[in-house]
């Protein structure tokens, strides 16, 4: 049973927005979210708000049965995501903005930024200094079609859960981890068992879990040029809208 292998206790549950609850082979990811007012407004046609859509997307992508290799578990672990908006404990802020240069991201409050790199040694921690009680806030773009926004929200939720990126970002020296092409934290595709294990370790240790990175000079400069071009193209396309 997963509960025999991993025990997670929170010192201050009232200050912990995302909590893992393990019962046998059942894992519940229990979240508290809060939204800006415009994300709560119902759509005239569907009656659903952006907040509803975001929550349904995260639940749909992360919930499921996962065979956790290397954990001596005969049966798959059943994962369910529960998201509530009650303010019975600290909640993750989720905001929608028109993003010109930056993609969607999770970012820490001002007072936690920059110094995270000294704790983790990871450039990724400059903006997202993840902690059990301070997982950060989610910033999502406006004007993105529903399928794309669903996958983006699920990816950013992975950061709130304690996972780093696997794709070739500048803070990873544009090094994409081989074999992770279908991972949620690489290409927003599918949550993999390895990502569930990373989530568990993040909450067990209180430290964000990062994918390996590597410096390769040629790959870095190719990635940098491509990144600049994509950001310019994105900004140009949005300013024309």
């Amino acid at each position: 049973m997963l509960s025999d292998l991993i025990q997670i206790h929170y010192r201050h549950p009232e200050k912990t927005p995302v909590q893992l609850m393990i019962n046998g082979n059942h894992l519940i990811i229990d979240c508290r979210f809060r939204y800006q007012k415009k994300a709560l407004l119902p759509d005239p046609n569907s009656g659903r708000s952006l907040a509803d859509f975001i929550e349904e997307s995260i639940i749909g992508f992360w919930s499921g049965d996962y065979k956790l290799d290397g954990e001596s578990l005969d049966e798959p672990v059943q994962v369910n995501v529960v998201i509530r908006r009650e303010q019975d404990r600290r909640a993750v802020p989720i905001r929608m903005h028109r993003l010109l240069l930056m993609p969607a991201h999770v970012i820490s409050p001002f007072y936690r930024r920059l110094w995270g790199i000294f704790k983790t040694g990871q450039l990724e921690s400059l903006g997202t200094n993840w902690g059990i009680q301070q997982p950060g806030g989610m910033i999502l773009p406006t004007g993105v079609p529903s399928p794309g926004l669903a996958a983006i929200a699920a990816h950013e939720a992975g950061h709130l859960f304690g996972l780093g990126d696997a794709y070739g970002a500048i803070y990873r020296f544009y090094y994409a981890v081989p074999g992770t092409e279908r991972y949620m934290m690489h290409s927003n595709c599918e949550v993999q068992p390895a990502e569930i294990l990373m989530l568990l370790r993040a909450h067990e240790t209180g430290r964000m879990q990062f994918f390996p990175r590597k410096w390769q000079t040629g790959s870095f400069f190719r990635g940098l040029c491509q990144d600049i071009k994509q950001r310019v193209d994105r900004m140009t396309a949005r300013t024309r809208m």
Side-chain angles (χ1 to χ4, degrees):
M1 292 287 185
L2 183 64
S3 57
D4 296 329
L5 299 174
I6 298 178
Q7 289 81 40
I8 298 174
H9 304 284
Y10 300 102
R11 293 181 60 186
H12 301 286
E14 75 283 357
K15 297 180 181 179
T16 307
V18 177
Q19 300 181 17
L20 305 188
M21 302 176 182
I22 304 173
N23 183 11
N25 270 359
H26 186 199
L27 169 63
I28 297 176
I29 306 173
D30 184 36
C31 311
R32 294 293 183 275
F33 288 175
R34 60 180 172 87
Y35 300 86
Q36 62 195 132
K37 187 175 180 179
K38 65 181 180 182
L40 296 170
L41 298 175
D43 180 83
N45 298 318
S46 65
R48 298 163 64 230
S49 67
L50 275 172
D52 295 330
F53 179 75
I54 291 166
E55 293 173 2
E56 290 167 8
S57 301
I58 295 170
I59 292 169
F61 273 98
W62 283 88
S63 298
D65 294 336
Y66 298 89
K67 184 68 173 71
L68 304 186
D69 296 331
E71 292 299 313
S72 303
L73 295 172
D74 295 328
E75 300 295 328
V77 170
Q78 180 186 358
V79 178
N80 290 103
V81 179
V82 176
I83 302 174
R84 297 190 178 94
R85 303 173 199 171
E86 290 91 346
Q87 300 301 299
D88 55 340
R89 66 178 193 249
R90 181 178 290 162
V92 172
I94 300 181
R95 299 186 293 274
M96 308 290 298
H97 289 299
R98 187 166 180 255
L99 302 175
L100 295 179
L101 292 176
M102 288 284 291
H105 56 281
V106 166
I107 193 162
S108 296
F110 285 106
Y111 60 85
R112 288 185 60 83
R113 297 180 200 174
L114 301 181
W115 61 265
I117 189 174
F118 300 106
K119 181 176 69 175
T120 66
Q122 298 280 345
L123 293 173
E124 198 165 347
S125 296
L126 285 170
T128 307
N129 183 9
W130 186 88
I132 289 288
Q133 297 178 25
Q134 293 282 357
M138 185 190 298
I139 312 295
L140 297 174
T142 57
V144 177
S146 295
L149 181 61
I152 290 170
H155 175 98
E156 299 307 324
H159 294 315
L160 296 177
F161 297 161
L163 280 68
D165 283 317
Y167 63 87
I170 187 170
Y171 43 80
R172 292 181 41 77
F173 310 137
Y174 295 106
Y175 176 76
V177 181
T180 64
E181 290 80 6
R182 298 289 300 174
Y183 278 47
M184 173 55 66
M185 304 313 293
H186 183 135
S187 54
N188 303 4
C189 285
E190 302 171 24
V191 176
Q192 304 294 326
E195 293 173 300
I196 298 298
L197 280 172
M198 292 175 72
L199 180 154
L200 288 163
R201 291 192 189 108
H203 283 256
E204 185 180 32
T205 62
R207 299 178 68 87
M208 192 170 192
Q209 300 297 297
F210 298 95
F211 287 88
R213 61 178 179 172
K214 185 186 299 184
W215 174 266
Q216 296 174 323
T217 303
S219 297
F220 177 81
F221 285 106
R222 284 193 299 272
L224 181 62
C225 292
Q226 183 179 8
D227 195 3
I228 292 173
K229 181 180 183 302
Q230 289 176 346
R231 289 172 187 263
V232 171
D233 290 345
R234 185 162 55 240
M235 183 176 64
T236 302
R238 287 184 178 273
T239 54
R240 288 174 178 172
M241 292 175 63

